[in-house]
Amino acid sequence: VVRRDGRLPGLRIVRTVWEMKSCSAEERGKGHTIGLVPTMGAFHEGHLSLIGAARRECSFVVASIFVNPTQFGPAEDYATYPRPFDDDVRRAGELGVDVVYAPSVEEVYPRGYETYLEPGPTGNILCGRSRPGHFRGVLTVVLKLFTAVSPHRAYFGEKDYQQLLLVRRMVKDFQLDVEVVGMPTVREPDGLAASSRNLCLSPDGRRAALGLSRALFRARLLVVEAGERDAAALKSKIISWLQQDRLCRSQLL
Ligand code: AMP
């Protein structure tokens, strides 16, 4: 039964850390297994696959929606990041989510906030190199989500593979009692990984982005079928394929 505001009965929106903590304590007390799906919202098929897995494997599902300012660099898209909150809540309800945890920025980082989690060397390569401070923000907010929600299991996508590894590392290093579940990357029919930011791509930008996944799939063929094991050779092949593509050359390189 859908109510007049479009929300399904049973779905609860929680806005504060303490309400989230008491809700989780109550559900744990009833013997529920709590599954957490941390997101920044603007749901797409990737998020839905994580929520679906949590729904199948846990008896109480919390999806968090929080656009975390501390993981965005000063020149990044924090202000323009898509925030279709009402649509997300509707879809969460349809998927059987029990709680949407959507705290405000002031709730997560109140005045005077100053404690952050610093990733190890794994945080300084790849994405960490081009986005200084990004994973520091990610790990800090994930730890804060874990302490607020106290999940038994937390679901992350392999699309953000470095993030998944860093979260696993944090859980191990801090001996947290959370099982981290990694889920395969969901792709659009043409091969582009589903992403909230795909909405922001121009038609040329989207075609160029597709060049990246195409090049990666081509490189995978070289590994799997031709037995190529030389990472530097693969990298230079990928760069030359991207350079041959006019759009990729102008938009990516
Ligand atoms: P985001 O809202 O972009 O922070 O993503 C929330 C979670 O969904 C993260 O664990 C992402 O890795 C995961 N995710 C995002 N896109 C995909 C995708 N295409 N396939 C699988 N998981 C995804």
Side-chain angles (χ1 to χ4, degrees):
V1 187
V2 181
R3 291 192 320 221
R4 228 180 325 168
D5 61 4
R7 288 180 186 153
L8 300 181
L11 174 67
R12 178 168 163 194
I13 298 176
V14 171
R15 295 284 189 180
T16 69
V17 173
W18 292 102
E19 188 187 344
M20 190 63 246
K21 279 182 193 269
S22 83
C23 168
S24 285
E26 196 179 319
E27 298 306 326
R28 276 186 169 249
K30 291 184 206 156
H32 280 305
T33 302
I34 301 179
L36 169 66
V37 182
T39 83
M40 298 207 298
F43 288 167
H44 51 68
E45 293 299 321
H47 296 118
L48 305 194
S49 138
L50 266 54
I51 291 173
R55 187 64 290 171
R56 285 191 301 280
E57 297 169 7
C58 306
S59 55
F60 193 85
V61 175
V62 179
S64 62
I65 300 180
F66 181 65
V67 184
N68 174 35
T70 65
Q71 71 188 67
F72 287 78
E76 291 182 6
D77 56 350
Y78 174 68
T80 55
Y81 196 86
R83 291 167 170 86
F85 185 72
D86 290 342
D87 286 346
D88 287 344
V89 169
R90 185 180 46 74
R91 290 176 97 177
E94 287 163 4
L95 291 165
V97 167
D98 296 291
V99 164
V100 167
Y101 175 47
S104 65
V105 172
E106 297 70 36
E107 180 68 16
V108 178
Y109 302 108
R111 249 167 76 91
Y113 189 88
E114 60 178 32
T115 308
Y116 290 87
L117 207 107
E118 203 62 58
T122 317
N124 299 328
I125 56 170
L126 302 169
C127 244
R129 215 167 67 180
S130 52
R131 302 181 73 185
H134 171 65
F135 288 120
R136 174 186 194 252
V138 168
L139 290 188
T140 301
V141 83
V142 170
L143 184 61
K144 285 169 86 50
L145 291 169
F146 284 2
T147 55
V149 177
S150 185
H152 295 86
R153 317 185 79 191
Y155 295 78
F156 293 85
E158 288 178 356
K159 190 202 75 168
D160 303 283
Y161 200 70
Q162 190 176 9
Q163 168 176 284
L164 173 61
L165 293 187
L166 285 165
V167 169
R168 283 195 199 286
R169 187 74 249 172
M170 172 184 78
V171 164
K172 205 166 178 180
D173 289 350
F174 281 3
Q175 289 129 327
L176 302 178
D177 209 359
V178 179
E179 183 187 340
V180 175
V181 183
M183 294 292 294
T185 302
V186 175
R187 294 181 179 278
E188 295 190 14
D190 59 8
L192 190 65
S195 164
S196 308
R197 287 189 172 98
N198 289 354
L199 295 171
C200 311
L201 291 172
S202 66
D204 274 358
R206 197 180 186 292
R207 260 174 272 141
L210 207 48
L212 272 179
S213 54
R214 233 183 264 129
L216 288 172
F217 283 126
R218 243 174 117 178
R220 184 170 69 179
L221 275 185
L222 286 183
V223 174
V224 175
E225 290 185 359
E228 178 61 84
R229 289 292 179 273
D230 181 347
L234 284 167
K235 187 173 166 186
S236 75
K237 282 226 166 69
I238 288 174
I239 290 174
S240 85
W241 292 329
L242 294 176
Q243 273 165 346
Q244 282 160 29
D245 182 318
R246 186 188 56 81
L247 271 179
C248 289
R249 205 170 49 235
S250 63
Q251 305 257 337
L252 301 173
L253 298 174

